[in-house]
Amino acid sequence: MSEQQQQQQSATAVAKKTPTDFLNHILGRRVFVRLNSGIDYRGVLACLDGYMNIALEQTEEYVDGELRNRYGDAFIRGNNVLYISTA
């Protein structure tokens, strides 16, 4: 197999990753969650389900970029989530 074919195969393998793959990869890591309201949460992703309901540990709540609260555990209903990313 030529080098170009190997690169194309590698690119195809990377491109086939799904959002589920990403979410499974970040379980147990620090994440950043933005809600539709603009409020941000940062914490360790404990678990989530198919509805994007999220459980965070060591959670910090930010409003307008300013730390407002700290929670041990927080549960966020999925329909409020705008996006989630690694912190």
Side-chain angles (χ1 to χ4, degrees):
M1 185 180 292
S2 73
E3 184 178 334
Q4 185 178 17
Q5 287 173 328
Q6 288 177 344
Q7 288 175 348
Q8 286 176 342
Q9 201 171 37
S10 295
T12 302
V14 169
K16 289 186 178 179
K17 291 195 177 197
T18 65
T20 303
D21 294 334
F22 168 72
L23 293 171
N24 288 331
H25 180 71
I26 64 171
L27 278 173
R29 293 186 176 187
R30 292 200 57 79
V31 295
F32 175 85
V33 179
R34 170 145 302 162
L35 304 187
N36 294 326
S37 65
I39 297 174
D40 302 325
Y41 290 89
R42 293 181 184 164
V44 177
L45 181 62
C47 64
L48 60 114
D49 64 13
Y51 296 101
M52 200 68 168
N53 295 318
I54 297 172
L56 295 176
E57 298 172 340
Q58 304 169 22
T59 309
E60 298 173 333
E61 178 184 54
Y62 291 85
V63 178
D64 297 326
E66 182 180 319
L67 178 62
R68 288 289 170 96
N69 288 303
R70 289 196 168 126
Y71 307 104
D73 295 326
F75 299 94
I76 301 171
R77 187 172 169 165
N79 67 336
N80 294 313
V81 176
L82 182 61
Y83 69 85
I84 182 171
S85 67
T86 54

